[in-house]
Amino acid sequence: MRSAAICSMLFARTSALAVPRWTRSARRLQGSPAFAATLAKGAAESKTLSVPDLSVPPVAHAAYEMITDEMVDEYGVRATLYKHTKSGAEVLSVQAADENKVFGITFRTPPKDSTGVPHILEHSVLCGSKKYKSKEPFVELLKGSLQTFLNAFTYPDRTCYPVASCNLKDFYNLVNVYLDAVLHPRAIEDERVLLQEGWHYEIDKPDEPLTYKGVVFNEMKGVYSSPDSLLARAAQQATFPDNTYGVDSGGDPLAIPTLDFEGFKDFHGEFYHPANSRVFFYGDDPVADRLALLDSYLADFNAIDPNSKVGIQRKLDLSSKPRVVEKFPAPPEAPGGAEGGAKKGQNMVQVNWLLNEEAMGAKEQLTLAVLDYLLMGTSSSDLRKALTDSQLGNEVIGGGLSDELSQATFSAGLKGVKPEDVPKVEALIEAALDKFALKGPDASAVEAAINSIEFSLREFNTGSFPRGLSFMLGAMSQWIYDRDPLSGLRFEAPLAELKAELARGEPVFADMVKALLLENKHKVSVEMVPDASLESEQTAAELAELAAIKASMSPEELERAIQTTADLKAAQARHDTEEELATIPSLSKADLARQGLELPFSESTELGAKVLRHDVPSNGILYADVGLDLTLLDAEDLPLVGLLSRCLTQTGTSKEDETALSRRIGARTGGVYGSTFSGVVVPEDNSVAEGDEIVHRLFVRGKVVKAQPGELFDIVSDVLTSAKLDNQKRIVEMLKESVSGLESNLVASGHAYASTRLSAPHSLAGALGEATGGISSLLALRATLEMAEKDFPRLQARLERMRAALLRRGSLLLNLSGDAATLEAAEPEVAKFLEAFPEGAAEVPPASERLAAWKKALAPPEALNEGFVIPTQVNYVGKGGRLYAPGEKVPGSASVVARALRTGYLWDTVRVMGGAYGGFCRFSPLTGTFSYLSYRDPNLLGTLENYDGAGGFLGAHELSDAALEQAIIGAIGDLDGPLGPDQKGFEAMRRYLAKETAAQRQEWRDGILATTKEDFKAFGERLAAKLEAPGSGANAVVFGSKQALEDANAKLAEGDKMKPFELKEVL
């Protein structure tokens, strides 16, 4: 059971909430006993540059009392805990040699009901404040900031507002806006904010039906359409029947309309006080400046004793409690013969435990993280493997340990289970845990698990996710409950203690399984049952409720509802004045770097293979990417590439089975996995490409410490040359997992599939994306699964043929990233690896011939208006086409305008006025394709009408000088995001493969900086001509309910503006 935060403000640069806190067991980050010293040495060497010095007295400020001042040696940072004496706020100030500065303010916000008030308030406070007068300062920051993170999210018991930027001026601008937003929001004085972000009755005329509208209302309708989300909600509420976790902080669509303005305001007054907050700073900015800025806001408040502590859920004896059974919406008229039309064998069952009442100590938390890895961390982990091997379901669910709330839980189960097999799954979980407790884990499994977590902790590679934000979220999982914020971040002492216990032969993990799981009676089982009529019943119930409400209204009440709707729409349509916009702090073009940064790169040909090297700071870790040229394959085999990629590391090799291989990877490297990469080659003249000259590669990616590169290359060689492609059992399991995952994603992320489908008709690159990652790939996977079950020799032969074609040294690409000493240390092993790599076919057809054959075989689908039927209460609406033809030059200004559309016109029309959770656009200057997309959208045809108004808006809207500068700054910010060491190497390789030059990148940057107001109007004219005009060739793709699509077709039949949707059922 995962208590995932609701990430409410879409379109921030980073949306992931993967927190590499040390109590989270990393799934692929593994290492050997020798690696710790190497990593520690590399980390120590890197920290000597500018590590904070404890001998220097901590910064003092008259407004604060210093509580503690400590070094966190594991991360080379100095952490000082202050208390603001007047307001009572606690402040953790972390000094780090990191330019990517982070700020966050978090409030404890335990809800008492499922109206979603914490979630709605999280949206609402960012809609204007005392100092910052625009309607949505958050959006103004999105438009013109160099932010590296700008978001907000609601947990079941807290609400977090983080920002990050590498630019000091920009960083303090963000901090100022967020502090004023949470402490002095317009929302508590202007009810229209609640109506917009939360919910309201909408009606324009007396004879029209009453409807519900609101961003959060529609967002949560989307959440409640997802079977996985419904299961997570049911499991949490069943596990925590007596405290705040028993209600939904995100909001239940049935309860949201009971929230009134008084309750909304009262919640802010109760919980949004500095004394109830935890304030966090991280980075290389001056501590004195942080404290002074913060004091200017906190000084207005007097300390209180907030009544916000999260109550403890006492452990109960639930052994006699019947299984919780709830329904989820299933596709109507689905095949399978089950009652109601839902597929037989699509039930979900999950067993959940509450693990503790009192807070765990650091060693206990770390031990639990390792146990989680042993049970659920990889496909070979004991409990996960038992569930997968049982063939009682299609995909393992539950996620194992969840420890980010005040009490930890553990969950495991299966989806795709026949109703009669649900008790078998429950019994299987119990039996697998019994076996684990009796025999204990295998020593090699323990070694891999320990090393996995240790490697992750010491590497602390968060990619583009700011390190300081990971640090903050890790600290907050303790701090928010009045515990030591640093206790969850220090790992050296608890790790040494755990290793000592294991060295003494103590049955640490077996004992923990007995105490926390087998002997724990606070255990509840949740079963989810598909119901083909649930969606229509929910829709009918909502319509009936609204009809009854309207019927009960007096004429005066009805007129008041109509007037409220009109007033809200007028307020939403009103543009901010120049005076209001001027209150938002901003950068200027003078703050921008005119030259883009280039990445370290060197190229050589060695034994016929291409080798790229990138000298980047890596703390003694080598990152290696071994790339195979997928254009050597026949087009018919392309849908199998994803399966082959998984086979390499999950089916075993000629030397060892899949379990032994997984543990070898865990014991010898920092992780090995397969992934694919696709890209379009950039024409020499930097014009729009046909999209038919592409790069398509399968990579085996891995990491290892400087002392052991040979271990990594040996494993990569083994998986490439001798992966067991005859392992039918494991291959069938993987295919079932993949099909199940894609089907779930259709309901949760229909916009992504719409985007892929829209690109397919216009180029080979688009058709390839659809064949390997779109709806077509789901259909192909289902066919592959049937082949694996009924005619496996044929599938095996295809996989063997693919491997033989790919293993060709002359087509090999080896991409290496690391510091100079690490790259040098790897040289002998690189040479051995290349010498041993198969030479493969001596001659192959030219790439142009191979790609021409692909284009013929992957005939792009016709650009049709398509409606894909899924069980959902909201829609995902897409429309797109080719905006620039091959050979045309796209100016850099086009990216500025497209970005401004996303954060301006589409945000206003699709999200704010339309009520969708998201509305945005995607533009590819390289292929000239452009698409509009919406996310969790209550509308369909109305959204398409908004898309068709974009060109006219750009032509009519008079852009101010400030707005133009703001748009340019935001576009430059998109180019300059920070990268981790492995990301730098991979991005440099991408540029090489795409034949993209530094001169072309600078030309694009110069074009962005030179954008004019006339460019906006020119782009609008192009949109009107290429995508909006009848016969333009643009098409629409929608994922939605059958009823919504049929209603849209009925209206389209009354006119001739666009052709009706071809309805297609894929679930």
Side-chain angles (χ1 to χ4, degrees):
M1 178 174 65
R2 292 291 175 189
S3 52
I6 297 169
C7 197
S8 287
M9 295 299 178
L10 288 181
F11 322 128
R13 177 171 296 132
T14 309
S15 61
L17 288 178
V19 183
R21 185 173 159 250
W22 66 264
T23 52
R24 213 80 75 235
S25 54
R27 301 304 188 204
R28 289 194 303 256
L29 301 175
Q30 300 147 1
S32 69
F35 81 90
T38 303
L39 274 179
K41 181 176 183 291
E45 289 172 351
S46 70
K47 291 170 188 172
T48 57
L49 299 176
S50 54
V51 174
D53 186 358
L54 266 185
S55 65
V56 177
V59 174
H61 190 289
Y64 300 85
E65 173 191 359
M66 191 187 73
I67 308 300
T68 60
D69 181 46
E70 309 170 61
M71 282 295 297
V72 184
D73 293 323
E74 288 86 343
Y75 300 109
V77 301
R78 180 178 189 169
T80 309
L81 183 63
Y82 298 92
K83 186 165 186 176
H84 189 261
T85 52
K86 188 171 186 294
S87 70
E90 291 186 16
V91 184
L92 184 61
S93 174
V94 179
Q95 294 173 262
D98 188 345
E99 68 170 353
N100 199 1
K101 292 163 275 290
V102 172
F103 163 83
I105 182 167
T106 301
F107 299 92
R108 260 196 318 236
T109 52
K112 300 179 179 66
D113 54 41
S114 295
T115 60
V117 60
H119 184 192
I120 296 169
L121 195 56
E122 174 231 300
H123 279 242
S124 300
V125 299
L126 295 169
C127 294
S129 64
K130 184 169 70 174
K131 286 173 61 176
Y132 304 112
K133 303 295 187 180
S134 75
K135 289 190 298 183
E136 297 196 74
F138 172 82
V139 181
E140 297 307 315
L141 293 175
L142 274 181
K143 290 177 182 178
S145 167
L146 299 178
Q147 54 84 17
T148 57
F149 192 92
L150 184 69
N151 217 318
F153 27 86
T154 303
Y155 288 82
D157 59 8
R158 59 190 182 270
T159 309
C160 186
Y161 299 89
V163 300
S165 179
C166 294
N167 181 287
L168 182 62
K169 179 181 176 182
D170 188 49
F171 176 62
Y172 284 141
N173 287 347
L174 299 173
V175 174
N176 273 289
V177 171
Y178 263 47
L179 279 171
D180 202 58
V182 297
L183 297 175
H184 306 290
R186 173 174 69 96
I188 61 174
E189 298 173 354
D190 186 347
E191 187 175 3
R192 290 174 300 184
V193 178
L194 169 61
L195 301 182
Q196 171 181 295
E197 297 298 323
W199 78 278
H200 65 275
Y201 295 124
E202 181 151 306
I203 182 168
D204 294 314
K205 299 176 182 178
D207 58 347
E208 291 182 347
L210 196 68
T211 60
Y212 287 127
K213 278 288 184 71
V215 174
V216 169
F217 179 79
N218 289 312
E219 176 189 349
M220 297 312 295
K221 277 185 124 180
V223 170
Y224 275 55
S225 297
S226 163
D228 295 318
S229 297
L230 288 171
L231 172 61
R233 167 184 175 267
Q236 179 173 304
Q237 294 182 355
T239 306
F240 294 95
D242 302 323
N243 75 350
T244 193
Y245 303 145
V247 298
D248 191 342
S249 65
D252 182 334
L254 296 178
I256 289 172
T258 66
L259 176 64
D260 60 24
F261 190 47
E262 290 305 313
F264 176 74
K265 289 192 300 182
D266 289 347
F267 195 89
H268 182 273
E270 182 176 3
F271 295 115
Y272 277 61
H273 188 284
N276 189 46
S277 72
R278 304 292 185 272
V279 185
F280 178 88
F281 280 95
Y282 168 98
D284 61 1
D285 58 307
V287 174
D289 292 353
R290 298 173 177 175
L291 298 179
L293 187 159
L294 185 59
D295 178 57
S296 70
Y297 289 91
L298 301 184
D300 293 338
F301 294 85
N302 294 316
I304 62 170
D305 184 11
N307 181 23
S308 63
K309 288 189 177 181
V310 177
I312 296 298
Q313 171 65 60
R314 296 300 173 188
K315 284 192 174 184
L316 307 172
D317 184 350
L318 302 179
S319 56
S320 60
K321 182 182 174 72
R323 183 188 307 127
V324 175
V325 180
E326 294 202 9
K327 299 176 180 179
F328 67 87
E333 301 175 4
E339 184 178 351
K343 292 182 185 177
K344 183 178 176 65
Q346 293 301 310
N347 288 29
M348 305 164 72
V349 59
Q350 180 173 296
V351 182
N352 313 277
W353 288 265
L354 177 65
L355 300 185
N356 63 304
E357 289 184 358
E358 303 303 321
M360 294 182 180
K363 200 271 291 184
E364 189 177 9
Q365 292 180 59
L366 180 58
T367 304
L368 186 56
V370 178
L371 175 62
D372 178 50
Y373 189 96
L374 291 168
L375 292 175
M376 295 284 284
T378 71
S379 60
S380 64
S381 295
D382 289 57
L383 181 54
R384 179 176 289 274
K385 183 169 174 56
L387 286 165
T388 304
D389 288 351
S390 72
Q391 300 187 40
L392 293 172
N394 296 333
E395 185 180 1
V396 176
I397 57 175
L401 175 66
S402 178
D403 60 356
E404 59 199 3
L405 301 181
S406 70
Q407 294 170 264
T409 60
F410 187 90
S411 303
L414 283 170
K415 66 165 57 173
V417 179
K418 295 177 181 178
E420 62 269 24
D421 287 342
V422 167
K424 296 178 184 177
V425 175
E426 295 167 332
L428 172 68
I429 291 172
E430 189 83 11
L433 294 173
D434 272 327
K435 181 180 178 182
F436 184 95
L438 179 66
K439 295 185 175 181
D442 188 89
S444 63
V446 174
E447 179 188 14
I450 290 281
N451 292 337
S452 161
I453 293 172
E454 187 172 357
F455 195 107
S456 173
L457 295 170
R458 297 188 188 284
E459 182 191 24
F460 198 37
N461 182 350
T462 62
S464 56
F465 194 80
R467 290 170 62 123
L469 183 52
S470 293
F471 196 99
M472 184 192 87
L473 296 178
M476 204 62 65
S477 63
Q478 301 296 315
W479 192 18
I480 202 71
Y481 305 116
D482 300 317
R483 304 167 193 161
D484 177 6
L486 303 180
S487 64
L489 297 163
R490 290 197 169 99
F491 58 84
E492 293 288 9
L495 182 61
E497 187 179 353
L498 175 58
K499 287 182 175 181
E501 290 181 353
L502 294 172
R504 293 193 296 268
E506 296 181 22
V508 175
F509 303 112
D511 287 350
M512 183 169 271
V513 163
K514 292 176 187 175
L516 295 185
L517 300 177
L518 292 174
E519 297 170 2
N520 182 358
K521 294 184 178 180
H522 193 111
K523 178 179 78 168
V524 61
S525 181
V526 177
E527 178 184 6
M528 302 297 293
V529 179
D531 186 334
S533 62
L534 182 60
E535 177 194 325
S536 60
E537 289 173 359
Q538 290 172 333
T539 301
E542 181 179 307
L543 292 174
E545 178 184 64
L546 287 163
I549 292 170
K550 183 184 178 187
S552 70
M553 287 180 171
S554 66
E556 293 77 19
E557 288 172 328
L558 183 58
E559 180 57 35
R560 192 156 51 245
I562 293 172
Q563 188 60 49
T564 298
T565 299
D567 290 345
L568 178 60
K569 288 184 175 181
Q572 291 170 332
R574 184 187 72 83
H575 294 294
D576 291 317
T577 66
E578 289 189 15
E579 292 76 17
E580 289 168 337
L581 290 172
T583 65
I584 308 298
S586 62
L587 300 174
S588 70
K589 286 174 64 175
D591 296 308
L592 304 178
R594 304 290 305 187
Q595 296 290 126
L597 293 176
E598 292 300 317
L599 299 171
F601 173 86
S602 69
E603 172 194 1
S604 62
T605 301
E606 301 171 25
L607 297 177
K610 192 67 66 178
V611 182
L612 310 181
R613 293 177 175 83
H614 317 282
D615 183 356
V616 294
S618 69
N619 284 356
I621 298 175
L622 175 71
Y623 298 96
D625 310 303
V626 180
L628 310 179
D629 188 356
L630 290 170
T631 66
L632 297 169
L633 299 179
D634 294 334
E636 65 174 355
D637 290 327
L638 291 174
L640 298 181
V641 169
L643 174 61
L644 179 62
S645 176
R646 291 189 67 184
C647 285
L648 295 178
T649 57
Q650 295 187 37
T651 59
T653 68
S654 59
K655 296 179 180 178
E656 56 217 333
D657 64 19
E658 63 262 35
T659 299
L661 174 62
S662 175
R663 291 174 181 172
R664 178 184 167 203
I665 290 172
R668 302 289 178 245
T669 78
V672 176
Y673 62 97
S675 68
T676 56
F677 167 80
S678 295
V680 176
V681 174
V682 180
E684 288 185 12
D685 63 356
N686 214 15
S687 64
V688 172
E690 287 280 357
D692 295 340
E693 185 181 357
I694 61 176
V695 178
H696 194 39
R697 284 190 176 261
L698 170 62
F699 282 98
V700 178
R701 307 188 67 188
K703 62 181 79 172
V704 71
V705 296
K706 181 171 71 174
Q708 297 180 315
E711 300 283 1
L712 174 61
F713 288 116
D714 285 349
I715 289 172
V716 172
S717 179
D718 287 346
V719 301
L720 284 174
T721 60
S722 68
K724 298 186 69 175
L725 303 181
D726 60 349
N727 190 341
Q728 181 181 10
K729 180 175 177 293
R730 183 62 189 132
I731 288 174
V732 168
E733 291 168 354
M734 291 190 297
L735 285 168
K736 286 181 177 179
E737 292 168 359
S738 296
V739 169
S740 177
L742 278 176
E743 290 177 343
S744 296
N745 286 340
L746 285 183
V747 178
S749 303
H751 64 295
Y753 293 90
S755 177
T756 302
R757 192 76 174 180
L758 287 167
S759 298
H762 303 292
S763 65
L764 174 58
L768 176 63
E770 170 64 20
T772 58
I775 283 289
S776 300
S777 70
L778 172 58
L779 303 180
L781 272 174
R782 288 173 176 164
T784 304
L785 174 57
E786 183 177 6
M787 188 194 311
E789 292 176 322
K790 297 179 179 179
D791 189 7
F792 184 75
R794 184 158 68 99
L795 176 59
Q796 181 186 341
R798 289 179 65 181
L799 292 171
E800 297 278 8
R801 185 179 72 233
M802 291 168 66
R803 175 166 63 186
L806 293 173
L807 295 182
R808 181 175 183 272
R809 189 195 297 158
S811 302
L812 182 69
L813 174 67
L814 181 56
N815 190 58
L816 303 172
S817 305
D819 51 67
T822 299
L823 291 173
E824 183 179 359
E827 286 307 299
E829 300 301 333
V830 170
K832 290 181 187 178
F833 174 74
L834 292 176
E835 288 171 3
F837 198 89
E839 290 190 14
E843 298 289 337
V844 295
S848 58
E849 288 185 20
R850 304 196 302 266
L851 292 175
W854 277 18
K855 186 173 183 179
K856 185 176 180 180
L858 294 175
E862 186 181 352
L864 302 172
N865 293 334
E866 297 176 292
F868 293 94
V869 176
I870 57 175
T872 181
Q873 300 180 64
V874 290
N875 304 305
Y876 302 91
V877 183
K879 181 178 181 180
R882 201 155 199 171
L883 198 57
Y884 287 84
E888 286 191 276
K889 290 291 288 281
V890 180
S893 62
S895 67
V896 179
V897 185
R899 190 181 192 280
L901 270 180
R902 174 170 63 90
T903 58
Y905 174 80
L906 293 173
W907 179 281
D908 291 339
T909 58
V910 178
R911 186 186 190 277
V912 173
M913 290 184 274
Y917 184 34
F920 47 103
C921 59
R922 291 177 177 171
F923 175 53
S924 169
L926 185 52
T927 62
T929 53
F930 185 96
S931 59
Y932 297 105
L933 299 161
S934 72
Y935 183 69
R936 292 179 181 169
D937 190 347
N939 308 303
L940 200 162
L941 294 181
T943 296
L944 290 171
E945 290 175 2
N946 284 326
Y947 295 162
D948 287 345
F953 169 82
L954 289 173
H957 181 63
E958 292 302 324
L959 196 69
S960 69
D961 292 340
L964 174 62
E965 185 170 52
Q966 181 187 52
I968 292 171
I969 292 167
I972 291 293
D974 288 343
L975 298 180
D976 292 346
L979 300 172
D982 53 329
Q983 291 176 309
K984 289 178 180 177
F986 203 83
E987 170 60 14
M989 178 197 69
R990 182 203 66 77
R991 295 173 177 180
Y992 166 81
L993 290 174
K995 299 180 182 178
E996 178 187 295
T997 68
Q1000 289 171 335
R1001 287 189 290 276
Q1002 189 60 45
E1003 178 187 350
W1004 186 255
R1005 189 182 189 94
D1006 291 342
I1008 290 175
L1009 291 167
T1011 300
T1012 66
K1013 297 177 186 179
E1014 288 69 30
D1015 293 324
F1016 277 68
K1017 295 187 181 297
F1019 195 87
E1021 291 172 1
R1022 185 175 285 267
L1023 279 177
K1026 300 291 186 179
L1027 297 187
E1028 298 168 12
S1032 64
N1035 67 303
V1037 175
V1038 175
F1039 286 78
S1041 70
K1042 189 172 186 179
Q1043 187 64 57
L1045 288 162
E1046 288 177 343
D1047 290 346
N1049 274 348
K1051 292 181 180 179
L1052 289 173
E1054 299 172 359
D1056 58 0
K1057 187 173 182 181
M1058 66 178 282
K1059 293 181 180 179
F1061 293 96
E1062 291 191 10
L1063 269 58
K1064 301 177 180 181
E1065 300 194 20
V1066 292
L1067 292 180

